[in-house]
Amino acid sequence: MPRRNNNRNSGGPSPVGTGGPRVEAGPAGYDDEQYLVRQIPGARALKTYRCPGCDHEIRPGVAHLVAWQADGLGGAEDRRHWHTGCWNGRGSRGVTRRWS
């Protein structure tokens, strides 16, 4: 019997960096602050950023994420680049660097 090529795309999450932002709780980990979060693949990380979670640099070529408030106020200057692990652990530890 011939092999059937099944379409395996079941409508799940899109590959990293290609989908739109998702909504998550903010840096303090509380549900009352909503932030939009977008994955940045290493191939698209071209600049050095400072992670507010650990105060270390995110070097070019390192996959990370960008978070900004979901209320629609502010612009690109209000976006913050986080290490993925720092963002995921934001509920169990405080922000190291205060946003100015």
Side-chain angles (χ1 to χ4, degrees), residues 42-66:
R44 296 199 53 214
L46 305 176
K47 294 171 39 180
T48 299
Y49 298 99
R50 182 148 316 259
C51 175
C54 66
D55 203 31
H56 291 149
E57 288 184 346
I58 302 171
R59 306 289 297 170
V62 174
H64 61 283
L65 54 85
V66 177

Side-chain angles (χ1 to χ4, degrees), residues 12-23:
S14 59
V16 174
T18 60
R22 62 185 183 272
V23 178

